[in-house]
Amino acid sequence: MSSASLLAKGFQASALSSRSIATRAQQQQKQRGGSTTSRAFGRRQSSVVVKASEDDVDLDDIAQAIEELAKENEKLRMSLEEEEAAEEETVAAATAVATAPKPVAAAAPAKPAGSGAVSAFGVPVLTEDLKRHRGFKFPQLEGDGFGVCAVDGTLAGHKGHLGHRWDKFKNLRQAIEDNEEGGIEGFSRGYEKMGFNRNEETGEITYREWAPNAKSACLFGDFNNWATDANGVWMTKNDFGVFEVTVPPNADGSPGIPHGSRVKIHLETQDGSWVDKIPAWIKFAVQAPGNIPFDGIYYDPPKEEQYEMKWSRPDAPEELRIYEAHVGMSSREPKINSYIAFADEVLPRIKNLGYNAVQLMAIQEHAYYASFGYHVTNFFGVSSRCGTPDELKYLVDKAHSMGISVLMDLVHSHSSSNVTDGINMFDGSDGQYFHSGPQGYHWMWDSRCFNYGEWEVMRFLLSNLRYWMEEFKFDGFRFDGVTSMMYKHHGLQVAFTGNYDEYFGMATDVDAMVYLALANDMLHTLYDGKVTTIAEDVSGMPTLCRPVQEGGVGFDYRLQMAIADKWVEVLSEWGSDENWEMGNLVFTMENRRYGEKCISYAESHDQALVGDKTTAFWLMDAEMYTNMSTLSPDSPVVTRGIALHKLIRQFTMGLGGEGYLNFMGNEFGHPEWIDFPRGDRVEASTGEFIPGNGNSYHLCRRRFDLPETDHLRYKFLEAFDAKMNRVAGFFKYMASDHQYTSLKDDGDKMIAFERGDCVFVFNWHPVNSYSDYRIGCKKAGKYKLVLSSDNPEFGGWDNLSTHHDGSYFADSTAHNGRPASFQAYIPSRTVAVFALEEDIERVGYTYGEEYVSRVVEVSNEHV
C-alpha cells in the first residue's frame, strides 16, 4: 500500500463521531487515572494532618509518604471511575456532555431526549435552525455617522475624516447587500461556494479557487495519484479570476475524493513557472510525521462520523470574566494537548474557578507552533496538532453545556509569509490577498498585511467569521493586532500621545477601519445578544467601541493593555513598597475612554512568554522554586509575593475595566515562563541568530498539579482567584455604571473605591495595619465582609476573615466626599470587599465552601 493511501487511511480513522469521541475521552480519562484531582479527592487528601514544626522532620520522607498516599488514592479513584463509567452508559444523552465537578465524556450523537432536556448546568438543548439566516436582508443604515460626536465632542473637529469613513462603509455595505450572491448574508457564506463543497444530492464535489494572476490550474492529490498531465483534473477560469472544477462520484457511488485524502492545487504563474499550493479555503491541513511542509486534507467525514452539537449558545455575558487558554500547551505533561483532553480536564477547572468565557488561542492552522498561533497559514483550517474539526466541536459544545462562552483569538490583521503552506504568493503574485510592496509587509512580524479594499479579500475574511460562528458555534472573537490594521505604519515606532490627529489622518488605513466596522455590523446583526467582539488595540483609537450606527467601529470591548505594562513598570522600576504611588495606580486603572468598555488584565500570555516575567515571577522570582511549600519555614519574599499577587489581581478586576482576563495558569502564579519547542533560527528582520531550546516541550505546558498539591502555596492563589470571580459573578459590579474612588492615600498606602454595590478597600502598606479605619460609602446601613484576602484559605493570617468578622454599621457621617461611612480593621497588604446586607440578600450571594476545605492542616507557625 502506498504511503499516500496509508496517510489517507490515518486521517479517515481520526475523523471521530460523537460516540467515538466519547469512547476515546473515557479511555483517556481512565489512562490518566489520578492525574486530575477532583474536588472530593482533594478533600480526602486534606484530612491528613502533616506536622512541620519539629526540628528533626525529614522533608524527603514526608514527600515520599505523600507520594505513596497519592498513588493509593489514584488506584482507589481509578476503581471508582470504572464503576461509574458502567453507570454513565445509561445516562441520558441530554446530561452526558458535561457534569461537575468531575469531567465526564460526551454522549453518543443521538439528539437529547425531549425538547425540555437540559445539561447538568441547566443549559437547554440546541434548537438553532441551520438555515435561519438564509435570505436575511440587512436593515438600512440611518444617520450621518456623527453620533459618536455626542459622546465625545472633540470628535467634531474631525468630521471630515469620520464622514469619509462613514461614506466608504455605507457604500461598501450597500454594494455587498445589493450583489446577486444573497446580500451580506450570502456573501459571508463564501465557504459554501469557495474551496471544496459536496452536493448532497448528486455526490459531486465542486472545487473553486480565486487565483486571478494564475494562467492555469489543476487539482491533484491522492484521489488521482497526483496526476497533472492530460489525465489531470484541470480547472476552468471565469472572468473574475475564479478557477472551478467538479469531480463526479465514483461508479459505486463513493466520493470522487475520499475523506482524508491529501489535496493541492497546481498553478501556472504569469512567468510560466509552476507552484503547488494548499487550497486557500482548506478546512484541515496536517504535517505528516517526518515532513516539513503541511498537506491540505479533504475533510468530509460520513454523517455518522460527524460530531453533532447539542447545547445552546449562552447569551453574551453582561460582564466578561475570560480565561485565556492555549489548547496545545494545556497539558501537565511536556506534550501537545488535544481538544478532547482540554474539554474533559481544563474546562471543568475553568467552570469551577468562576470564569464565564474561555478565549482559545491558536485555533486557526499555523505551520510554526512557536508563533503562538499568530502566523496563520490556513485561515479556515482547524489546528491539526490538537485534533480534528469534530473534536474541536466537541470542545465548544462541552463549554456550552457548562454555560461558558467560547471566544476565538482571531488573526485577520496579517498572514504568515510562509509561501509553502500559506496563502502568501498564492497565485504567484505579490498582491492578491495583500498589498503589494512595503505596505503589504510587516517587517517586525515578518508577515503579510491584507488589502482590505479588495472585494475577494472582504469575502474571504467575512466568510471566515461566519464559518467559525456557524460551523463551530463560537461565541465571538478577540481580534488580534487591530492597531496594526488601523494604521499604515502598523503602530511601529509610533508613540501615541492621545492627540486626535494621530487617529484621523493620512496614516489611518480607512479600508481596514471599514472592514472592522462591517465585520462588527454583520456579527451583531446576525447574532444579536449572542456574540462578543474584542479589539486588541494599544493606540487608544476613539470610536473603536462605539456602535456602528453611531459611526463607531462596533467592538464590544478593547483590551486595556496599559494596565499590564503598568504592573511591569511597578514591579521592575518602582522599588520598595513604600515608593508605590497610590494616585498613579488609580489613574492607570481609570484611564479609559468614556462609553467604550475595556477588558482589564494584570497579565496575559504576553507577560508569560520567555524573555518576560509573570506577576508571580516578578514578585517571588527564584524563591518560587524553593519556598512555596508550607512544610518549609515562612519566607518574607513569598509572603509578600502571595499577598501582592492577590491585591494586584483584585485591584485590576475591580477598577480597571468592564471585563477581566486571566491567562491559563496565572491564577495560581504559574512558575517559569512559556518557551515553545524551537530549533535554532535566524531572525528575518534583523539577521540575528537566535538559539533554540532543543525543541523541548518542558516549558510549554501548564502545571495544574501545583495548586492541587495540598502542601504547596499555589493553591492559596487559585482559591482567591475563584472567590474573586464568585463575588464578581454575583454582584456583577464590572457591568455597573457606578464607580467612585473615594481614597488614594500615599501616606497610609490606602485606596478605597465603590464599584456597583461593593466597597473595595486596599491596604498596600508593607507593615501598617489600621484599626477603626473610616471608609466612605454611598449608603448608610449594615455592611458585611464578602471577601478578604486575609482569609486562611488564601494564605492569609486570619486577622480579617469572612469566617468570623461580623457586621459593619455605616452611619450618615460624611467622609472623603461620600454621604456615609463605616469603620473597619484593615490589615497590611490586604484587600477587603464589603457590601450592604440587603444587597447581599438581593443578589443571593453566599460565600460557598469551595476551596475552604483545602486549607492545609499544618503547623500555623509556617502558614
Side-chain angles (χ1 to χ4, degrees), residues 52-59 61-62:
S53 58
E54 301 297 331
D55 294 336
D56 58 350
V57 167
D58 189 325
L59 296 181
D61 289 344
I62 292 176

Side-chain angles (χ1 to χ4, degrees), residues 9 16 78 86 126 151 304 399 445 467 509 582 603 609 806 823 825 827:
K9 281 184 174 294
L16 301 182
M78 288 178 67
L126 180 67
V151 180
E304 64 272 14
W445 295 344
Y467 176 69
D509 188 335
M582 302 296 99
E603 53 187 340
L609 285 170
Q823 292 176 292
Y825 172 66

Side-chain angles (χ1 to χ4, degrees), residues 32-263:
R32 283 186 288 272
S35 63
T36 304
T37 307
S38 71
R39 190 176 299 155
F41 182 56
R43 282 197 291 270
R44 289 198 295 270
Q45 257 190 328
S46 66
S47 66
V48 179
V49 178
V50 181
K51 295 294 182 183
S53 58
E54 301 297 331
D55 294 336
D56 58 350
V57 167
D58 189 325
L59 296 181
D60 291 336
D61 289 344
I62 292 176
Q64 183 176 355
I66 292 175
E67 184 177 352
E68 292 299 322
L69 176 62
K71 289 180 180 178
E72 291 299 318
N73 279 317
E74 286 174 11
K75 292 178 181 179
L76 174 62
R77 192 172 70 179
M78 288 178 67
S79 175
L80 291 173
E81 284 183 348
E82 289 174 357
E83 295 175 7
E84 292 170 354
E87 297 176 0
E88 288 166 2
E89 292 180 359
T90 63
V91 176
T95 58
V97 172
T99 56
K102 190 182 71 173
V104 178
K111 289 185 179 295
S115 59
V118 296
S119 75
F121 296 92
V123 175
V125 297
L126 180 67
T127 58
E128 198 172 84
D129 181 2
L130 297 179
K131 297 183 179 181
R132 65 198 182 285
H133 295 310
R134 302 300 165 97
F136 178 83
K137 295 297 182 182
F138 275 62
Q140 291 287 327
L141 289 172
E142 298 180 0
D144 54 10
F146 297 139
V148 290
C149 298
V151 180
D152 180 359
T154 309
L155 292 170
H158 298 274
K159 280 190 172 182
H161 183 98
L162 292 170
H164 171 63
R165 188 174 86 186
W166 174 259
D167 288 343
K168 288 201 71 169
F169 163 69
K170 185 173 61 175
N171 293 338
L172 178 60
R173 183 183 189 270
Q174 195 60 49
I176 298 175
E177 185 65 13
D178 291 343
N179 79 70
E180 298 179 356
E181 300 178 69
I184 297 172
E185 196 283 320
F187 183 78
S188 61
R189 282 188 286 106
Y191 55 88
E192 295 181 353
K193 180 178 180 181
M194 305 297 291
F196 293 94
N197 286 283
R198 179 173 53 83
N199 186 311
E200 293 188 5
E201 295 181 0
T202 66
E204 295 177 332
I205 299 171
T206 299
Y207 170 56
R208 297 185 183 92
E209 196 74 72
W210 178 61
N213 288 286
K215 295 165 65 176
S216 56
C218 176
L219 172 65
F220 68 145
D222 291 329
F223 74 99
N224 72 341
N225 293 316
W226 300 95
T228 58
D229 54 17
N231 297 318
V233 182
W234 289 91
M235 307 174 72
T236 59
K237 184 180 182 182
N238 67 16
D239 294 339
F240 301 100
V242 176
F243 286 91
E244 179 178 338
V245 70
T246 297
V247 179
N250 296 321
D252 61 1
S254 61
I257 307 176
H259 164 60
S261 298
R262 296 179 298 173
V263 289

Side-chain angles (χ1 to χ4, degrees), residues 293-354:
F294 275 64
D295 291 304
I297 301 296
Y298 176 69
Y299 191 86
D300 186 21
K303 186 73 173 178
E304 64 272 14
E305 293 183 8
Q306 298 173 18
Y307 181 81
E308 183 178 350
M309 302 185 80
K310 306 173 182 66
W311 305 110
S312 295
R313 301 176 190 265
D315 291 336
E318 58 182 306
E319 43 87 47
L320 273 173
R321 301 185 303 280
I322 303 171
Y323 195 85
E324 184 185 31
H326 185 285
V327 173
M329 58 170 289
S330 65
S331 173
R332 304 164 189 232
E333 305 300 324
K335 65 177 184 179
I336 297 176
N337 211 13
S338 70
Y339 297 124
I340 289 178
F342 184 92
D344 292 343
E345 295 178 5
V346 184
L347 281 179
R349 293 184 60 87
I350 296 170
K351 181 66 176 179
N352 291 339
L353 285 167

Side-chain angles (χ1 to χ4, degrees), residues 470-507:
E470 290 291 329
E471 297 296 316
F472 295 88
K473 312 301 182 191
F474 276 92
D475 303 298
F477 305 95
R478 176 251 197 204
F479 282 69
D480 176 70
V482 169
T483 303
S484 175
M485 297 173 69
M486 295 189 298
Y487 305 99
K488 296 174 183 177
H489 51 60
H490 307 304
L492 299 176
Q493 298 177 325
V494 175
F496 291 98
T497 65
N499 186 321
Y500 279 29
D501 290 337
E502 297 167 350
Y503 306 121
F504 308 112
M506 297 301 294

